[in-house]
Each structure stands twice: as structure tokens, then as C-alpha cells.
Amino acid sequence: MSNKTYNDLICDTSELISEATQIDEAVFEAGVAERTVFQPLLLELRLRYTLLVSKLDTIYDQLLQPQKRLIVKRLLEACLGRLLEIKYDLVELYLSDYTYDDDEVLQKLQVTPQEAEPCIPQYFVREREEEIEIRRKFITDILTKLGHEITKPPSIVLTEQQAIIIIQSHERARQGRLRGQFMKEIRLLKEKGRDQKGEMSATAATAIQRVWRGFITRRMTKKRKRAEQLLIGMELPPYTESQAIKKAEEIKENRRDRQKEHEKEYQEAVVAIEEQLRAQHTDKIKERIGDELRRWIAEYYERTNRLPEFPSEEGGGSRAMFSRQGTGVESELSKSSPVSSKESKKSKESKDKKSTKTEDNKTKDEIEDLHNYKCLNSSFLQDVINANEEFEDMWKFRDDYGDHERYQKDIIEREKMVLLEQEMRNMVDEMMRSELDLLQAAFDKDRAHKGKKAKKPQKKVRRGGKKSKKKKEKDLTPDRTTESLFEELVANGIIRPYPIVKIDDYMGEKNFIGSEMRKQGREPTPCLGDIRQLIKEYCILPLGSEHVKTNAPLIRSVLLAGPSGSGKKMLLHAICSEVGAMLFDLTPSNIVGKYPGKSGLIMLIHLVIKVSRLLQPSVIWMDDAEKPFVKKIPKTDKTDPKRLKKDLAKIIKGICPEDRVLFIGTSRMPWEAEQKLLFQCYTKVIQIPRADYGSISLMWRTKLHRAGALSQRLDISCLSRISDSYTIGTLLSALDDVLTTKRRLQLRVRALTAHEVAVQLSYREPVYAEHDSAAEIWWYKTPLERRRQKVLQRLEELEQENEEKSAAK
């Protein structure tokens, strides 16, 4: 597509952002309201911001103008953060991690359920491609040196004579097979000729023609029927990569290369323009600011007969001094000044008095809390509004064609002049502070106040606020480089490579009737597509951007629970792949025998925490997450799983909002652990449900189509029904065993049947009902589910009380 296409797209997106922010502001203006009022509004906002993220990602990926791309990135990150905040509000409203799309909202915005799922911005990985590739190569090289990686066998080099011998032997074998087949046909003809007397009759010729013409007609009919089914969409065409898609990807790659060229030119222009501005305006700006300050100090001295106190750099410097409302002794405190300790005590006492309420008021408040809700204060909404207004003011009606698509010089000059003036102002402020100190000393000497010294600017002290209890951790490896620590963890198998997996490869349909079931008062069961969306919202989108991770609702850890083969490791690898994260493996079986003793364990934890912060984004993974909290360990288990029991909470609580680090645990039987300790470690719990019919049908259809094994003889519905009690991983392994190389070659002659797959499934273990029931019982013990059940129970009790009161009247 052309530059005009993307410029028009961003203008249209800007109007959609204005509509979304107007609705968003109305939500906050509503304040405290009933939950039923917020639910449809937030569902609509979630869908609007999802569409905005998708559009902005497309624009940012293909836009060429480097300065405009900066503001598009600001919009993209702000919309991402607002989307995660809305997700947090929806979770609090429904007391469930799963948010289902409302049919009315989908119809209103004309969006399909697939488009309503958040996309992963491409810049998460694309802007770090070189860094990610260097790290992966570093890991591969270390493993190769240590012999942990299987090296590829060297290619065989043949001499000319050896090659000729091999070719001759294969050719003679081919000729021998052909001659054998030829002699067999001759022998059969001779045997037939013995029984027949005379030449072939006309009746025989007619019979041959009838058979041949019937065969030709049936083949043509079959082709016409297939063409008709392809036309009306009843049959899928053969799976081949579209040439149009390949061509579009080539065009996109070409634009990305041009993006890099324009970005390089822009950075060079920024440096050159800054140097030019410094050479031309530095002395002028210094002189102007100095004259202003000296004139203001002289006026202040004439008015008050004393020298002013110059604010510190943290307090705003001379800008803060100019912005004061009054400069006399009797001037009032500014609004930003901290509250005194006495006032804070009074306010606390007044709050304590107000907090003492009667039991009737408490019950009223409880009822209001159950029915009413107030949305979380947004850290991103104002960023969205400001960035959109800046785009409309600066870029909406500006042409970006020709030389303008590279960079706009006037914008660079304006931005650099602001920074240059601030820098010069700081330098002049420092000079004026020293001058004021000298003037104050001379003033005191003239007034014979020798004992009094010039007042030094006092540092601002935080009052009333709590001091951060977080102590600075002692660095156990201060003299070692990041590369040496990285190499040590790779050599010990703590940092490990992972296959590149896309999150969209985790196939599954969403629950399309979830919203309707909630309106009827029933809690829907999530599907695999809902799990995929939840992984995006809780794990991938926050990790991909530093700005989003710092300001979005904090999620330190996630527990993935599900039976073997449900896709827990695939989801883990997808999280790492989508954000280019480093994977740290703290599985008990992986760290056994490594860093022994108490001191070794301390060093291991220190290295993992330190290196995960240095190599952000990072994912710390523990398989069999229930084992550290199991009450009794079997004697056959030699992995010492309780080694990290006391330190897991320390590792997870040490993850700060600005750290792009996520702790992920995977478990097959989480109910075996002590639940209190388990839920203390994991912020969010995601249970992968049994694969539903829609997800299994989609998986079979997709995989068989790609393998070329999809035919009319294969009943997908029947195959999906008999696959009901198996996990997706088990079904894929069975399909791999069925579709061997030999069987793939026979597909054109003998179509695949459901019976072949069913035979392979009969040799595999399904997910038994006992496992499902144990998982369901455990799910009702998770913190969020228990909280939801308590709220529902309390609402039922309140309804019964109201009915009894109405009956008594």
C-alpha cells in the first residue's frame, strides 16, 4: 500500500480514538454507579481499544515518517495500557478472569469474534531482532562447546569415481525392474492368447470403449462437483501459500527497510541540528535568562528588603520561583507543598471519627459495595487524549510526501530549543545560587550579623508519606560482567533455549455464548480460545512494553494448570517468543545438584534475580509448580522439590512494576499442594479446560487440511466426537503416528479415514473423569472463585431478607 493509504488510515483512527475517549471519560464522570451500568460500557470500550491497537500496530509497522511514528507509538502504548486497565475493571465487575464478548457490541461495531481478540504488536520483537538473535546465538554457541547440543553430522564428500559407481548401480537396478515388468506383461499376453482363437471381436471392442468412456465421464463429473463445492465454500482448496500474500509480505519488508533508512537519516539530522543550535543560541539564551533573573532578584530586594531563597533543581529552579503567587513573608503555601504532621494527624483523627459507624450503616455500605462499583483510576487515558490532540494539531493536515516523509526540520528545531533552554536554565540557576550566597554573605557582613550564616537551600522532605521499606539488595557479584553471569547460567542449564512458537498457533474456539449465559445468571465454561486471549492480556501485552508494564495493573506471577498434553509448555514458549524473552528454568528436577548448600541456593536466587533484570524481558519458569508445597514427598523423588519453598515468595515479591519479569508455574495436579502457600505465590491462576467440540473440530480441520489429508470420506464431526476425552497434544501425537511418510504418499489413492485415527487413539491415555472432578473441586478453592462464590451467597441472603421483610409487611 502507498503512503497515502496509511496517512488516511491514521486520520480515520484518530477519529475513532476521539470517540473512544469520549465514552471513556463518561465512564469516569459517572463515578460510583451500579455494576450493571458499567458492564456494557466497559465491554464496548474493551472492543474499541482492541480495534485501535490492531489499527495502530498496522500503521506503526508500515509508516515511513520517523517523527510521526513516534507519536503513533505513544498512542499504541497508551491504548495497550488502557486496554489492560479495562480488563482489570471487568475482572472486578464479574469476579472472573474471563471476559466474553457481547453480541450487541459486536453487531454495533460490525466486528467478528476473531477480530475482537487483542493482537500482539509487531514491534515487540521487530525492534529487537538483532539483540534477540545475538542472545540465541550466544546460548547455542555455549551449548555446542559444552556438548549439550547435538551437532549435525557432516555432509559426505564423494569422489567422482564413487559418485559414478552409485549412479550406475541405481540405473542398472531401475533397468532391471523395468525389464522384469516388461517380461511379466509378455508372459501374461501369451497366456491370454492361448485361450483366445482368432482376432478380437467387435463385442470386446465395444466393452472396452464402454468401460473407458464411463471412467472418463465419472472423472469429469467428479472434477465439476469439486469445483462447484470449492466455489460455494463447502470444500477447502489445497493448502498452498498464496502468491498474493507472499507479494504483500515482500512489499511490507521493503517498507521496513526504507523505515530503517529514514530513521537513520532522522537521527543524523537530530545530532546535526542540535550542534548547530548550540553554536548559534547558547550564549544568547544564557545572557537572556541571567538578565531576567537578576532583574527579578533586584525587584524582589527593593520590595522586601531581603534576598529571595532560590529553589533547588528538584523544586523546579527559577521556573518555580517565577510561578509563585506571592513572594513575601506572608505568602500562602502552594498547593503542592506537603501537609504538616499536625494537620495530617488532625485529618487522620477526623477520618477515624467518620469511620466509626453503626451496624446498620455497615450493612448499607456492604449492600452498596455489592451492587455498586467505581472504575480504577486510569494512568493511560490522559496519555491517549494528549497524544491524539498533538497528532491532530501537528500532523493531521500536514503533507508527508516527497522529502517531507523523511523528517520535518522545524519540529526538530522546536523540540531541541526547548531542551536547550532547559539545560541552559539549569546552568544559569546554579550560577545564580552561588551569586546569591555571596550577596547574602556580603549583606550579613554589612548589617554586622557575623554570627548568622547565609541560609542554604533546604532539601525538600517528604512528609506524611510512608518511606519505602524496600532495602537495597546486596550485590554478591559486583565485579562480574553480564556476559560472564549469562554464560554461567547457560552452562548450568538455568537459562535455556526454546522453540519459536506463535500464540495464534494455539488453536481453539472462543465461547460465543458466554455473555448470554451471564445475562441468564449462569457462569460459562471457558474454551481454549478464551485461554489464548487471557495469556495475551496477562502475560504477553504487559511484558512487551516497558511503559505499559510500569503503569498497568501489576501481575507478578501466573500459574498454568492443566492435564498433560493440554499445551502448558507451548503457551510458555509462545509467551517467550512473542516478546523475545529470556527463559530461566527453576524446575526442581533441573536445579538438582546445582549450586549445592545454603550459600549455593542464595547465589542461585541472586543470579536469577539479577540477570533476569539485566536481560529484560525475562520469564522465570517452574514446572511441577505444586511440588515445593506438597505435604509429603515420595521417597523415590530425589529432586528435593522443597528446596525453593521458602524463597519462591521472595523471588516473586522482588518483581517491581518497572521490571519486565514474569514468574510462570505449570502444574498437572495443583490440588496436591498446600493451597494457602500456593496461592500466596501466584497472582493469577489459569486452568486450561477440557478441549471442547468446536476447538477439536477446528484443530482437526486445520491440521488435516495442511497435511493434504482432508477429504469427503473423512467425517470430521465423528472424529471430533470420539476425540472428546483427549487433550490436543495427545490428538496431535496420534495424527503424527498415523500420517507417516508412506501413508502421506498413499493419500491420493486411499483417503484417510476416522477409523485409522481412532485406532491410534485407543493406545493412548484419555483424561479420566476422576482428574476432571479433582480439577473442578480445586478450581472452586482458587482465591478469585471463592470471592465470587461469597458475593453470590451474600446476594442470595440479602434477597431472602428482603423477601421476608416484604412478606412480614
Side-chain angles (χ1 to χ4, degrees):
M1 289 190 283
S2 64
N3 295 333
K4 186 178 184 304
T5 305
Y6 291 106
N7 288 327
D8 293 343
L9 181 59
I10 191 175
C11 291
D12 295 341
T13 306
S14 176
E15 294 177 2
L16 295 175
I17 290 172
S18 300
E19 293 178 9
T21 50
Q22 287 175 5
I23 300 172
D24 216 345
E25 287 177 327
V27 169
F28 284 103
E29 288 174 2
V32 180
E34 290 187 6
R35 291 173 178 262
T36 53
V37 174
F38 281 121
Q39 287 168 0
L41 288 174
L42 289 177
L43 285 172
E44 181 179 347
L45 278 174
R46 192 201 73 81
L47 188 53
R48 284 182 178 274
Y49 279 107
T50 300
L51 297 175
L52 288 174
V53 167
S54 178
K55 290 178 182 292
L56 289 169
D57 175 46
T58 304
I59 295 166
Y60 183 70
D61 183 58
Q62 293 297 303
L63 201 65
L64 296 181
Q65 221 286 342
Q67 292 160 294
K68 190 184 285 188
R69 289 185 77 239
L70 293 176
I71 201 166
V72 171
K73 187 175 182 180
R74 279 177 54 198
L75 280 169
L76 176 56
E77 290 188 333
C79 289
L80 270 178
R82 186 67 192 121
L83 179 63
L84 297 180
E85 288 176 342
I86 293 170
K87 173 67 178 181
Y88 176 85
D89 285 326
L90 286 170
V91 170
E92 290 298 315
L93 276 174
Y94 289 106
L95 295 178
S96 173
D97 289 319
Y98 303 98
T99 52
Y100 303 100
D101 301 316
D102 191 359
D103 293 341
E104 294 179 3
V105 177
L106 292 173
Q107 188 174 2
K108 177 182 176 181
L109 299 178
Q110 297 182 352
V111 176
T112 63
Q114 288 74 21
E115 293 172 338
E117 187 173 337
C119 71
I120 308 299
Q122 301 175 60
Y123 80 92
F124 282 0
V125 174
R126 195 167 72 81
E127 293 186 353
R128 299 176 53 243
E129 282 179 348
E130 294 182 4
E131 178 188 347
I132 294 170
E133 188 60 34
I134 289 170
R135 288 181 180 179
R136 291 182 69 86
K137 190 175 183 302
F138 186 76
I139 294 173
T140 306
D141 293 342
I142 293 172
L143 292 176
T144 305
K145 289 177 184 176
L146 296 172
H148 294 301
E149 192 177 37
I150 300 172
T151 56
K152 295 181 180 179
S155 57
I156 302 172
V157 180
L158 299 176
T159 62
E160 186 179 354
Q161 188 65 28
Q162 289 174 334
I164 290 172
I165 292 171
I166 292 173
I167 293 170
Q168 284 179 344
S169 61
H170 281 279
E171 179 61 22
R172 287 167 181 165
R174 187 186 68 82
Q175 290 180 1
R177 287 191 296 271
L178 287 175
R179 183 166 181 79
Q181 182 68 23
F182 181 66
M183 295 304 295
K184 182 180 179 182
E185 291 175 359
I186 291 175
R187 187 169 61 252
L188 290 174
L189 287 174
K190 286 182 179 179
E191 290 176 358
K192 287 181 180 179
R194 291 172 187 171
D195 300 333
Q196 296 176 357
K197 294 180 179 179
E199 295 181 358
M200 185 180 294
S201 62
T203 307
T206 305
I208 292 171
Q209 287 178 356
R210 184 174 65 251
V211 171
W212 174 248
R213 287 172 180 169
F215 170 73
I216 291 293
T217 306
R218 285 191 297 273
R219 188 170 66 178
M220 291 176 64
T221 306
K222 188 176 180 181
K223 284 183 178 180
R224 283 200 305 269
K225 185 178 179 182
R226 176 173 170 77
E228 182 181 352
Q229 289 179 338
L230 286 172
L231 179 64
I232 61 178
M234 290 185 64
E235 192 171 341
L236 295 174
Y239 180 76
T240 54
E241 291 188 12
S242 172
Q243 295 297 324
I245 295 175
K246 285 184 178 180
K247 189 175 181 180
E249 285 298 324
E250 290 176 2
I251 294 172
K252 287 182 179 180
E253 284 298 327
N254 184 23
R255 290 185 68 89
R256 288 167 187 156
D257 294 337
R258 290 171 63 190
Q259 267 182 12
K260 293 177 182 178
E261 294 175 5
H262 291 185
E263 183 67 27
K264 186 178 178 182
E265 291 178 9
Y266 169 65
Q267 296 298 337
E268 292 173 354
V270 167
V271 175
I273 292 171
E274 184 176 4
E275 291 177 355
Q276 183 182 358
L277 292 175
R278 282 184 180 278
Q280 292 177 357
H281 300 284
T282 299
D283 296 334
K284 294 179 183 178
I285 293 173
K286 276 186 179 180
E287 186 178 350
R288 178 174 57 81
I289 295 173
D291 292 343
E292 288 177 359
L293 289 176
R294 290 187 181 92
R295 186 168 57 252
W296 185 86
I297 291 170
E299 292 174 358
Y300 182 91
Y301 182 77
E302 289 176 3
R303 189 169 62 252
T304 62
N305 200 25
R306 67 186 184 89
L307 296 175
E309 293 183 5
F310 207 95
S312 62
E313 188 175 346
E314 293 81 8
S318 58
R319 285 187 181 276
M321 189 167 61
F322 282 132
S323 63
R324 287 180 178 176
Q325 296 296 327
T327 54
V329 180
E330 297 178 356
S331 63
E332 297 178 358
L333 291 172
S334 64
K335 293 181 181 180
S336 60
S337 59
V339 183
S340 64
S341 59
K342 290 183 180 179
E343 291 176 356
S344 64
K345 285 181 181 178
K346 288 180 182 178
S347 63
K348 286 181 181 178
E349 288 175 2
S350 63
K351 286 180 181 178
D352 291 338
K353 288 179 182 178
K354 290 180 181 178
S355 63
T356 57
K357 294 181 179 179
T358 59
E359 292 181 359
D360 295 336
N361 291 335
K362 283 184 180 180
T363 54
K364 288 179 182 179
D365 290 344
E366 184 184 359
I367 294 170
E368 288 181 0
D369 289 340
L370 291 175
H371 290 283
N372 297 338
Y373 182 74
K374 184 179 180 182
C375 290
L376 177 75
N377 291 331
S378 176
S379 303
F380 295 96
L381 179 58
Q382 196 59 44
D383 291 346
V384 177
I385 296 170
N386 294 341
N388 193 39
E389 289 177 353
E390 185 178 338
F391 167 77
E392 289 181 346
D393 293 341
M394 295 176 59
W395 295 102
K396 192 168 185 178
F397 303 105
R398 190 187 288 255
D399 293 332
D400 291 342
Y401 309 114
D403 295 334
H404 292 289
E405 74 177 22
R406 298 185 180 274
Y407 60 85
Q408 300 276 355
K409 187 178 179 180
D410 57 334
I411 296 176
I412 300 175
E413 290 177 348
R414 188 162 57 248
E415 292 175 352
K416 289 301 173 183
M417 279 298 293
V418 172
L419 295 174
L420 183 61
E421 183 176 351
Q422 183 60 40
E423 183 183 345
M424 294 301 107
R425 183 174 292 277
N426 292 337
M427 292 173 64
V428 174
D429 286 355
E430 193 63 32
M431 183 177 66
M432 293 306 298
R433 288 189 191 97
S434 60
E435 287 185 12
L436 277 174
D437 290 343
L438 294 173
L439 286 172
Q440 185 67 43
F443 182 77
D444 292 342
K445 189 175 181 181
D446 292 342
R447 295 298 181 101
H449 294 299
K450 295 181 180 180
K452 294 183 180 179
K453 295 183 180 179
K455 292 183 180 180
K456 294 184 179 179
Q458 295 180 355
K459 293 184 179 178
K460 284 193 173 183
V461 182
R462 287 182 61 186
R463 297 179 186 176
K466 293 182 180 179
K467 293 183 179 179
S468 59
K469 297 181 179 179
K470 187 180 176 183
K471 295 181 180 179
K472 192 174 181 181
E473 297 178 1
K474 185 180 179 182
D475 192 356
L476 302 178
T477 54
D479 301 327
R480 295 186 59 182
T481 61
T482 305
E483 287 76 11
S484 65
L485 298 175
F486 188 12
E487 185 174 356
E488 180 182 334
L489 289 177
V490 173
N492 285 309
I494 305 300
I495 294 179
R496 54 187 301 176
Y498 53 85
I500 301 298
V501 180
K502 295 293 182 183
I503 186 65
D504 292 329
D505 292 339
Y506 187 81
M507 285 179 289
E509 291 284 12
K510 300 169 71 176
N511 191 334
F512 301 121
I513 60 171
S515 180
E516 292 299 321
M517 290 180 69
R518 277 184 172 164
K519 289 178 183 177
Q520 297 170 8
R522 295 182 294 163
E523 185 61 21
T525 303
C527 300
L528 296 185
D530 300 309
I531 300 296
R532 181 180 62 242
Q533 179 172 330
L534 205 59
I535 292 293
K536 290 181 179 180
E537 293 168 336
Y538 281 168
C539 303
I540 298 176
L541 294 180
L543 272 184
S545 170
E546 184 178 355
H547 177 64
V548 173
K549 181 69 171 63
T550 304
N551 298 287
L554 179 59
I555 296 176
R556 291 188 174 95
S557 54
V558 176
L559 176 65
L560 298 177
S564 180
S566 57
K568 300 185 293 296
K569 288 185 182 177
M570 181 183 180
L571 290 173
L572 172 75
H573 296 153
I575 293 168
C576 297
S577 302
E578 293 287 2
V579 299
M582 298 303 301
L583 179 60
F584 296 77
D585 187 2
L586 288 184
T587 304
S589 59
N590 186 50
I591 62 173
V592 63
K594 300 170 185 176
Y595 298 95
K598 188 176 180 180
S599 59
L601 183 61
I602 293 171
M603 179 59 73
L604 172 63
I605 294 169
H606 168 73
L607 288 176
V608 170
I609 294 174
K610 181 177 179 179
V611 178
S612 64
R613 287 174 179 165
L614 291 172
L615 303 178
Q616 297 180 32
S618 301
V619 172
I620 305 173
W621 170 50
M622 175 178 282
D623 197 10
D624 297 328
E626 77 282 355
K627 285 190 175 180
F629 309 107
V630 173
K631 295 180 180 178
K632 189 176 181 181
I633 302 170
K635 294 181 179 179
T636 54
D637 192 351
K638 304 296 182 183
T639 59
D640 190 15
K642 290 197 174 184
R643 188 182 178 194
L644 285 172
K645 179 180 179 180
K646 295 180 180 178
D647 298 300
L648 271 181
K650 177 185 175 184
I651 295 172
I652 294 170
K653 287 180 181 178
I655 299 174
C656 304
E658 60 271 13
D659 296 333
R660 286 197 292 162
V661 181
L662 182 67
F663 192 97
I664 296 180
T666 54
S667 175
R668 287 173 292 178
M669 293 176 286
W671 49 85
E672 292 185 352
E674 294 182 38
Q675 300 304 304
K676 185 178 179 181
L677 297 176
L678 185 70
F679 295 139
Q680 281 178 354
C681 286
Y682 294 98
T683 311
K684 293 292 181 181
V685 179
I686 300 175
Q687 184 183 22
I688 301 176
R690 176 199 289 265
D692 57 294
Y693 172 81
S695 299
I696 294 174
S697 179
L698 175 67
M699 186 276 298
W700 280 128
R701 190 174 298 278
T702 305
K703 291 294 182 182
L704 292 171
H705 181 227
R706 290 180 180 177
L710 196 61
S711 64
Q712 292 181 345
R713 293 188 59 188
L714 182 60
D715 191 348
I716 297 293
S717 178
C718 175
L719 187 58
S720 302
R721 290 294 181 190
I722 64 175
S723 308
D724 184 40
S725 57
Y726 296 91
T727 60
I728 296 292
T730 306
L731 298 177
L732 291 175
S733 64
L735 182 62
D736 290 339
D737 289 345
V738 170
L739 290 179
T740 59
T741 306
K742 182 179 179 181
R743 186 66 184 89
R744 286 172 185 268
L745 294 173
Q746 296 173 349
L747 288 174
R748 292 183 63 185
V749 180
R750 183 164 58 92
L752 186 71
T753 60
H755 176 73
E756 298 177 65
V757 182
V759 170
Q760 280 294 334
L761 288 176
S762 64
Y763 298 118
R764 285 167 169 76
E765 291 288 331
V767 180
Y768 293 106
E770 292 80 5
H771 187 283
D772 287 339
S773 61
E776 186 177 358
I777 294 169
W778 171 78
W779 174 251
Y780 285 111
K781 296 179 182 178
T782 55
L784 191 61
E785 185 63 22
R786 288 176 64 185
R787 185 178 159 200
R788 192 179 73 85
Q789 294 297 333
K790 285 181 181 178
V791 170
L792 292 175
Q793 185 179 356
R794 183 58 183 154
L795 287 172
E796 289 179 2
E797 291 174 358
L798 291 173
E799 287 180 3
Q800 289 178 359
E801 289 177 4
N802 292 332
E803 289 176 0
E804 291 174 0
K805 287 180 181 178
S806 60
K809 290 179 181 179

